[in-house]
Amino acid sequence: MKKLLLFLLSPLFAGCLGHPVGVQPVSDFQLQPYLGKWYEIARLDHSFERAMINVTAEYSLRADGGVEVKNRGYSTKNDKWKEAVGKAYFVGDESTGHLKVSFFGPFYGSYVVFDYDPEEYAFVCGPDTSYLWLLSRSPRVPDRLKHSFLEQAEKYGFDSSQLIWVDQSGNE
């Protein structure tokens, strides 16, 4: 019965693995240099990150060939550290920056790297324009990178006026 239900509902979840119109995943993606720790510099707000500061994401290889995703941040609302561990797999070929990520069971969401330099930054979005992140290898980024991120966000229809610039003072 569970398998039948999942099969019948799968078309509903297929849209969760797309990407916003016009956004293309990078085609020269390399996983190995992408692994490691990233600092969340900016994001669009979502309930799973609300009131979070000092947010980081750490990526490592899983035994099954996928990627372990460990998100960590300090909840100012609950006055404590929170951590979520998930898994990610490539949607297509491994040279395309398009992965599917899951933090709960069989449900996956799109993780699209649409611009990056593995030594400095990654611009990442989800399946639509309500998900957007600027990740960096350091807790502070130069203004030129912020401007580039904002230009691309606006070009692709993200509401940059709603971006949260994450307090990373605890990671400096």
Side-chain angles (χ1 to χ4, degrees):
M1 186 66 173
K2 282 185 184 178
K3 287 182 181 179
L4 177 62
L5 184 59
L6 281 174
F7 174 76
L8 293 173
L9 293 175
S10 63
L12 293 173
F13 301 116
C16 295
L17 295 181
H19 46 80
V21 175
V23 174
Q24 292 300 314
V26 294
S27 59
D28 59 346
F29 188 80
Q30 295 178 13
L31 180 59
Q32 196 62 42
Y34 196 80
L35 299 175
K37 188 174 195 173
W38 293 88
Y39 297 88
E40 185 179 273
I41 303 302
R43 69 170 180 260
L44 290 176
D45 193 28
H46 285 283
S47 60
F48 54 87
E49 286 190 286
R50 193 148 297 137
M52 299 282 278
I53 62 171
N54 299 314
V55 179
T56 59
E58 194 157 350
Y59 305 97
S60 59
L61 288 177
R62 290 172 46 95
D64 66 1
V67 177
E68 180 177 274
V69 180
K70 187 183 299 182
N71 291 341
R72 186 172 193 266
Y74 188 79
S75 170
T76 59
K77 181 180 178 185
N78 298 324
D79 198 28
K80 67 180 183 178
W81 288 95
K82 294 179 112 180
E83 187 174 280
V85 178
K87 56 190 174 186
Y89 300 94
F90 284 94
V91 172
D93 68 84
E94 293 184 11
S95 66
T96 302
H98 188 189
L99 294 94
K100 59 183 183 177
V101 65
S102 175
F103 288 93
F104 357 82
F107 305 106
Y108 284 85
S110 205
Y111 181 98
V112 180
V113 180
F114 62 95
D115 192 2
Y116 90 122
D117 172 339
E119 293 181 14
E120 185 182 13
Y121 71 90
F123 299 170
V124 179
C125 69
D128 57 44
T129 57
S130 66
Y131 296 91
L132 181 67
W133 295 270
L134 166 54
L135 304 178
S136 173
R137 289 292 188 184
S138 63
R140 294 221 181 264
V141 299
D143 286 342
R144 68 161 172 75
L145 188 55
K146 288 180 183 178
H147 293 301
S148 177
F149 178 68
L150 288 169
E151 282 176 10
Q152 289 196 46
E154 290 167 8
K155 172 183 169 184
Y156 294 127
F158 295 95
D159 185 355
S160 62
S161 70
Q162 296 299 309
L163 282 170
I164 293 169
W165 297 90
V166 181
D167 176 357
Q168 286 289 352
S169 59
N171 284 319
E172 296 176 333

mmCIF file with all atom_site columns, all heavy atoms in Angstrom, residues 73-89:
data_model
loop_
_atom_site.group_PDB
_atom_site.id
_atom_site.type_symbol
_atom_site.label_atom_id
_atom_site.label_alt_id
_atom_site.label_comp_id
_atom_site.label_asym_id
_atom_site.label_entity_id
_atom_site.label_seq_id
_atom_site.pdbx_PDB_ins_code
_atom_site.Cartn_x
_atom_site.Cartn_y
_atom_site.Cartn_z
_atom_site.occupancy
_atom_site.B_iso_or_equiv
_atom_site.pdbx_formal_charge
_atom_site.auth_seq_id
_atom_site.auth_comp_id
_atom_site.auth_asym_id
_atom_site.auth_atom_id
_atom_site.pdbx_PDB_model_num
ATOM 1   N N   . GLY A 1 73 ? 23.091 25.912 12.947 1.00 0.00 ? 73 GLY A N   1
ATOM 2   C CA  . GLY A 1 73 ? 22.932 27.328 13.225 1.00 0.00 ? 73 GLY A CA  1
ATOM 3   C C   . GLY A 1 73 ? 22.440 27.552 14.648 1.00 0.00 ? 73 GLY A C   1
ATOM 4   O O   . GLY A 1 73 ? 21.989 26.619 15.315 1.00 0.00 ? 73 GLY A O   1
ATOM 5   N N   . TYR A 1 74 ? 22.547 28.797 15.063 1.00 0.00 ? 74 TYR A N   1
ATOM 6   C CA  . TYR A 1 74 ? 22.119 29.158 16.414 1.00 0.00 ? 74 TYR A CA  1
ATOM 7   C C   . TYR A 1 74 ? 20.743 29.808 16.338 1.00 0.00 ? 74 TYR A C   1
ATOM 8   O O   . TYR A 1 74 ? 20.537 30.803 15.639 1.00 0.00 ? 74 TYR A O   1
ATOM 9   C CB  . TYR A 1 74 ? 23.123 30.114 17.060 1.00 0.00 ? 74 TYR A CB  1
ATOM 10  C CG  . TYR A 1 74 ? 22.827 30.351 18.512 1.00 0.00 ? 74 TYR A CG  1
ATOM 11  C CD1 . TYR A 1 74 ? 23.187 29.406 19.465 1.00 0.00 ? 74 TYR A CD1 1
ATOM 12  C CD2 . TYR A 1 74 ? 22.145 31.490 18.919 1.00 0.00 ? 74 TYR A CD2 1
ATOM 13  C CE1 . TYR A 1 74 ? 22.889 29.603 20.802 1.00 0.00 ? 74 TYR A CE1 1
ATOM 14  C CE2 . TYR A 1 74 ? 21.848 31.690 20.258 1.00 0.00 ? 74 TYR A CE2 1
ATOM 15  C CZ  . TYR A 1 74 ? 22.223 30.746 21.194 1.00 0.00 ? 74 TYR A CZ  1
ATOM 16  O OH  . TYR A 1 74 ? 21.922 30.934 22.508 1.00 0.00 ? 74 TYR A OH  1
ATOM 17  N N   . SER A 1 75 ? 19.800 29.239 17.060 1.00 0.00 ? 75 SER A N   1
ATOM 18  C CA  . SER A 1 75 ? 18.438 29.767 17.103 1.00 0.00 ? 75 SER A CA  1
ATOM 19  C C   . SER A 1 75 ? 18.349 30.847 18.178 1.00 0.00 ? 75 SER A C   1
ATOM 20  O O   . SER A 1 75 ? 18.457 30.552 19.367 1.00 0.00 ? 75 SER A O   1
ATOM 21  C CB  . SER A 1 75 ? 17.437 28.650 17.414 1.00 0.00 ? 75 SER A CB  1
ATOM 22  O OG  . SER A 1 75 ? 16.161 29.205 17.680 1.00 0.00 ? 75 SER A OG  1
ATOM 23  N N   . THR A 1 76 ? 18.155 32.086 17.738 1.00 0.00 ? 76 THR A N   1
ATOM 24  C CA  . THR A 1 76 ? 18.025 33.171 18.714 1.00 0.00 ? 76 THR A CA  1
ATOM 25  C C   . THR A 1 76 ? 16.680 33.080 19.430 1.00 0.00 ? 76 THR A C   1
ATOM 26  O O   . THR A 1 76 ? 16.548 33.552 20.555 1.00 0.00 ? 76 THR A O   1
ATOM 27  C CB  . THR A 1 76 ? 18.172 34.544 18.036 1.00 0.00 ? 76 THR A CB  1
ATOM 28  O OG1 . THR A 1 76 ? 17.181 34.688 17.025 1.00 0.00 ? 76 THR A OG1 1
ATOM 29  C CG2 . THR A 1 76 ? 19.558 34.710 17.440 1.00 0.00 ? 76 THR A CG2 1
ATOM 30  N N   . LYS A 1 77 ? 15.718 32.457 18.796 1.00 0.00 ? 77 LYS A N   1
ATOM 31  C CA  . LYS A 1 77 ? 14.398 32.288 19.411 1.00 0.00 ? 77 LYS A CA  1
ATOM 32  C C   . LYS A 1 77 ? 14.442 31.286 20.561 1.00 0.00 ? 77 LYS A C   1
ATOM 33  O O   . LYS A 1 77 ? 13.868 31.504 21.622 1.00 0.00 ? 77 LYS A O   1
ATOM 34  C CB  . LYS A 1 77 ? 13.388 31.823 18.358 1.00 0.00 ? 77 LYS A CB  1
ATOM 35  C CG  . LYS A 1 77 ? 11.992 31.637 18.880 1.00 0.00 ? 77 LYS A CG  1
ATOM 36  C CD  . LYS A 1 77 ? 11.055 31.187 17.779 1.00 0.00 ? 77 LYS A CD  1
ATOM 37  C CE  . LYS A 1 77 ? 9.666  30.947 18.333 1.00 0.00 ? 77 LYS A CE  1
ATOM 38  N NZ  . LYS A 1 77 ? 8.759  30.399 17.339 1.00 0.00 ? 77 LYS A NZ  1
ATOM 39  N N   . ASN A 1 78 ? 15.145 30.158 20.355 1.00 0.00 ? 78 ASN A N   1
ATOM 40  C CA  . ASN A 1 78 ? 15.210 29.098 21.362 1.00 0.00 ? 78 ASN A CA  1
ATOM 41  C C   . ASN A 1 78 ? 16.486 29.143 22.192 1.00 0.00 ? 78 ASN A C   1
ATOM 42  O O   . ASN A 1 78 ? 16.664 28.314 23.080 1.00 0.00 ? 78 ASN A O   1
ATOM 43  C CB  . ASN A 1 78 ? 15.090 27.727 20.691 1.00 0.00 ? 78 ASN A CB  1
ATOM 44  C CG  . ASN A 1 78 ? 13.771 27.570 19.985 1.00 0.00 ? 78 ASN A CG  1
ATOM 45  O OD1 . ASN A 1 78 ? 12.739 28.050 20.442 1.00 0.00 ? 78 ASN A OD1 1
ATOM 46  N ND2 . ASN A 1 78 ? 13.788 26.900 18.853 1.00 0.00 ? 78 ASN A ND2 1
ATOM 47  N N   . ASP A 1 79 ? 17.367 30.063 21.853 1.00 0.00 ? 79 ASP A N   1
ATOM 48  C CA  . ASP A 1 79 ? 18.627 30.247 22.573 1.00 0.00 ? 79 ASP A CA  1
ATOM 49  C C   . ASP A 1 79 ? 19.437 28.954 22.656 1.00 0.00 ? 79 ASP A C   1
ATOM 50  O O   . ASP A 1 79 ? 19.915 28.561 23.719 1.00 0.00 ? 79 ASP A O   1
ATOM 51  C CB  . ASP A 1 79 ? 18.352 30.808 23.978 1.00 0.00 ? 79 ASP A CB  1
ATOM 52  C CG  . ASP A 1 79 ? 19.600 31.423 24.604 1.00 0.00 ? 79 ASP A CG  1
ATOM 53  O OD1 . ASP A 1 79 ? 20.473 31.897 23.857 1.00 0.00 ? 79 ASP A OD1 1
ATOM 54  O OD2 . ASP A 1 79 ? 19.695 31.419 25.845 1.00 0.00 ? 79 ASP A OD2 1
ATOM 55  N N   . LYS A 1 80 ? 19.552 28.264 21.490 1.00 0.00 ? 80 LYS A N   1
ATOM 56  C CA  . LYS A 1 80 ? 20.354 27.039 21.442 1.00 0.00 ? 80 LYS A CA  1
ATOM 57  C C   . LYS A 1 80 ? 20.750 26.723 20.004 1.00 0.00 ? 80 LYS A C   1
ATOM 58  O O   . LYS A 1 80 ? 20.150 27.210 19.046 1.00 0.00 ? 80 LYS A O   1
ATOM 59  C CB  . LYS A 1 80 ? 19.617 25.863 22.057 1.00 0.00 ? 80 LYS A CB  1
ATOM 60  C CG  . LYS A 1 80 ? 18.392 25.406 21.289 1.00 0.00 ? 80 LYS A CG  1
ATOM 61  C CD  . LYS A 1 80 ? 17.743 24.226 21.989 1.00 0.00 ? 80 LYS A CD  1
ATOM 62  C CE  . LYS A 1 80 ? 16.549 23.728 21.175 1.00 0.00 ? 80 LYS A CE  1
ATOM 63  N NZ  . LYS A 1 80 ? 15.925 22.579 21.792 1.00 0.00 ? 80 LYS A NZ  1
ATOM 64  N N   . TRP A 1 81 ? 21.790 25.889 19.894 1.00 0.00 ? 81 TRP A N   1
ATOM 65  C CA  . TRP A 1 81 ? 22.252 25.423 18.592 1.00 0.00 ? 81 TRP A CA  1
ATOM 66  C C   . TRP A 1 81 ? 21.300 24.371 18.057 1.00 0.00 ? 81 TRP A C   1
ATOM 67  O O   . TRP A 1 81 ? 20.783 23.553 18.811 1.00 0.00 ? 81 TRP A O   1
ATOM 68  C CB  . TRP A 1 81 ? 23.657 24.842 18.698 1.00 0.00 ? 81 TRP A CB  1
ATOM 69  C CG  . TRP A 1 81 ? 24.691 25.898 18.902 1.00 0.00 ? 81 TRP A CG  1
ATOM 70  C CD1 . TRP A 1 81 ? 25.216 26.323 20.076 1.00 0.00 ? 81 TRP A CD1 1
ATOM 71  C CD2 . TRP A 1 81 ? 25.298 26.695 17.886 1.00 0.00 ? 81 TRP A CD2 1
ATOM 72  N NE1 . TRP A 1 81 ? 26.125 27.326 19.858 1.00 0.00 ? 81 TRP A NE1 1
ATOM 73  C CE2 . TRP A 1 81 ? 26.198 27.578 18.513 1.00 0.00 ? 81 TRP A CE2 1
ATOM 74  C CE3 . TRP A 1 81 ? 25.178 26.758 16.495 1.00 0.00 ? 81 TRP A CE3 1
ATOM 75  C CZ2 . TRP A 1 81 ? 26.961 28.502 17.806 1.00 0.00 ? 81 TRP A CZ2 1
ATOM 76  C CZ3 . TRP A 1 81 ? 25.937 27.676 15.793 1.00 0.00 ? 81 TRP A CZ3 1
ATOM 77  C CH2 . TRP A 1 81 ? 26.817 28.533 16.441 1.00 0.00 ? 81 TRP A CH2 1
ATOM 78  N N   . LYS A 1 82 ? 21.075 24.406 16.739 1.00 0.00 ? 82 LYS A N   1
ATOM 79  C CA  . LYS A 1 82 ? 20.243 23.403 16.078 1.00 0.00 ? 82 LYS A CA  1
ATOM 80  C C   . LYS A 1 82 ? 21.043 22.824 14.923 1.00 0.00 ? 82 LYS A C   1
ATOM 81  O O   . LYS A 1 82 ? 21.828 23.532 14.290 1.00 0.00 ? 82 LYS A O   1
ATOM 82  C CB  . LYS A 1 82 ? 18.955 24.023 15.554 1.00 0.00 ? 82 LYS A CB  1
ATOM 83  C CG  . LYS A 1 82 ? 18.017 24.512 16.639 1.00 0.00 ? 82 LYS A CG  1
ATOM 84  C CD  . LYS A 1 82 ? 16.791 25.120 16.040 1.00 0.00 ? 82 LYS A CD  1
ATOM 85  C CE  . LYS A 1 82 ? 15.605 24.258 16.354 1.00 0.00 ? 82 LYS A CE  1
ATOM 86  N NZ  . LYS A 1 82 ? 14.358 24.783 15.809 1.00 0.00 ? 82 LYS A NZ  1
ATOM 87  N N   . GLU A 1 83 ? 20.823 21.560 14.664 1.00 0.00 ? 83 GLU A N   1
ATOM 88  C CA  . GLU A 1 83 ? 21.520 20.894 13.570 1.00 0.00 ? 83 GLU A CA  1
ATOM 89  C C   . GLU A 1 83 ? 20.557 19.966 12.852 1.00 0.00 ? 83 GLU A C   1
ATOM 90  O O   . GLU A 1 83 ? 19.726 19.317 13.484 1.00 0.00 ? 83 GLU A O   1
ATOM 91  C CB  . GLU A 1 83 ? 22.695 20.087 14.136 1.00 0.00 ? 83 GLU A CB  1
ATOM 92  C CG  . GLU A 1 83 ? 23.580 19.484 13.096 1.00 0.00 ? 83 GLU A CG  1
ATOM 93  C CD  . GLU A 1 83 ? 24.795 18.820 13.706 1.00 0.00 ? 83 GLU A CD  1
ATOM 94  O OE1 . GLU A 1 83 ? 25.752 19.552 14.050 1.00 0.00 ? 83 GLU A OE1 1
ATOM 95  O OE2 . GLU A 1 83 ? 24.783 17.578 13.856 1.00 0.00 ? 83 GLU A OE2 1
ATOM 96  N N   . ALA A 1 84 ? 20.682 19.920 11.528 1.00 0.00 ? 84 ALA A N   1
ATOM 97  C CA  . ALA A 1 84 ? 19.891 19.001 10.714 1.00 0.00 ? 84 ALA A CA  1
ATOM 98  C C   . ALA A 1 84 ? 20.848 18.285 9.774  1.00 0.00 ? 84 ALA A C   1
ATOM 99  O O   . ALA A 1 84 ? 21.712 18.908 9.156  1.00 0.00 ? 84 ALA A O   1
ATOM 100 C CB  . ALA A 1 84 ? 18.840 19.760 9.918  1.00 0.00 ? 84 ALA A CB  1
ATOM 101 N N   . VAL A 1 85 ? 20.697 16.969 9.688  1.00 0.00 ? 85 VAL A N   1
ATOM 102 C CA  . VAL A 1 85 ? 21.546 16.174 8.814  1.00 0.00 ? 85 VAL A CA  1
ATOM 103 C C   . VAL A 1 85 ? 20.671 15.550 7.739  1.00 0.00 ? 85 VAL A C   1
ATOM 104 O O   . VAL A 1 85 ? 19.637 14.954 8.031  1.00 0.00 ? 85 VAL A O   1
ATOM 105 C CB  . VAL A 1 85 ? 22.303 15.080 9.606  1.00 0.00 ? 85 VAL A CB  1
ATOM 106 C CG1 . VAL A 1 85 ? 23.146 14.229 8.672  1.00 0.00 ? 85 VAL A CG1 1
ATOM 107 C CG2 . VAL A 1 85 ? 23.164 15.716 10.688 1.00 0.00 ? 85 VAL A CG2 1
ATOM 108 N N   . GLY A 1 86 ? 21.094 15.708 6.497  1.00 0.00 ? 86 GLY A N   1
ATOM 109 C CA  . GLY A 1 86 ? 20.356 15.168 5.367  1.00 0.00 ? 86 GLY A CA  1
ATOM 110 C C   . GLY A 1 86 ? 21.287 14.475 4.404  1.00 0.00 ? 86 GLY A C   1
ATOM 111 O O   . GLY A 1 86 ? 22.471 14.272 4.679  1.00 0.00 ? 86 GLY A O   1
ATOM 112 N N   . LYS A 1 87 ? 20.719 14.125 3.266  1.00 0.00 ? 87 LYS A N   1
ATOM 113 C CA  . LYS A 1 87 ? 21.497 13.454 2.227  1.00 0.00 ? 87 LYS A CA  1
ATOM 114 C C   . LYS A 1 87 ? 21.135 14.057 0.877  1.00 0.00 ? 87 LYS A C   1
ATOM 115 O O   . LYS A 1 87 ? 20.019 14.545 0.679  1.00 0.00 ? 87 LYS A O   1
ATOM 116 C CB  . LYS A 1 87 ? 21.226 11.955 2.244  1.00 0.00 ? 87 LYS A CB  1
ATOM 117 C CG  . LYS A 1 87 ? 19.753 11.604 2.093  1.00 0.00 ? 87 LYS A CG  1
ATOM 118 C CD  . LYS A 1 87 ? 19.500 10.144 2.353  1.00 0.00 ? 87 LYS A CD  1
ATOM 119 C CE  . LYS A 1 87 ? 17.984 9.871  2.327  1.00 0.00 ? 87 LYS A CE  1
ATOM 120 N NZ  . LYS A 1 87 ? 17.674 8.507  2.699  1.00 0.00 ? 87 LYS A NZ  1
ATOM 121 N N   . ALA A 1 88 ? 22.099 14.025 -0.026 1.00 0.00 ? 88 ALA A N   1
ATOM 122 C CA  . ALA A 1 88 ? 21.893 14.594 -1.360 1.00 0.00 ? 88 ALA A CA  1
ATOM 123 C C   . ALA A 1 88 ? 22.467 13.662 -2.417 1.00 0.00 ? 88 ALA A C   1
ATOM 124 O O   . ALA A 1 88 ? 23.450 12.948 -2.161 1.00 0.00 ? 88 ALA A O   1
ATOM 125 C CB  . ALA A 1 88 ? 22.540 15.971 -1.455 1.00 0.00 ? 88 ALA A CB  1
ATOM 126 N N   . TYR A 1 89 ? 21.850 13.699 -3.597 1.00 0.00 ? 89 TYR A N   1
ATOM 127 C CA  . TYR A 1 89 ? 22.289 12.902 -4.746 1.00 0.00 ? 89 TYR A CA  1
ATOM 128 C C   . TYR A 1 89 ? 22.131 13.737 -6.001 1.00 0.00 ? 89 TYR A C   1
ATOM 129 O O   . TYR A 1 89 ? 21.230 14.578 -6.086 1.00 0.00 ? 89 TYR A O   1
ATOM 130 C CB  . TYR A 1 89 ? 21.445 11.618 -4.869 1.00 0.00 ? 89 TYR A CB  1
ATOM 131 C CG  . TYR A 1 89 ? 21.543 10.742 -3.655 1.00 0.00 ? 89 TYR A CG  1
ATOM 132 C CD1 . TYR A 1 89 ? 20.610 10.839 -2.626 1.00 0.00 ? 89 TYR A CD1 1
ATOM 133 C CD2 . TYR A 1 89 ? 22.585 9.827  -3.524 1.00 0.00 ? 89 TYR A CD2 1
ATOM 134 C CE1 . TYR A 1 89 ? 20.707 10.050 -1.500 1.00 0.00 ? 89 TYR A CE1 1
ATOM 135 C CE2 . TYR A 1 89 ? 22.681 9.032  -2.394 1.00 0.00 ? 89 TYR A CE2 1
ATOM 136 C CZ  . TYR A 1 89 ? 21.746 9.141  -1.387 1.00 0.00 ? 89 TYR A CZ  1
ATOM 137 O OH  . TYR A 1 89 ? 21.853 8.362  -0.269 1.00 0.00 ? 89 TYR A OH  1
#
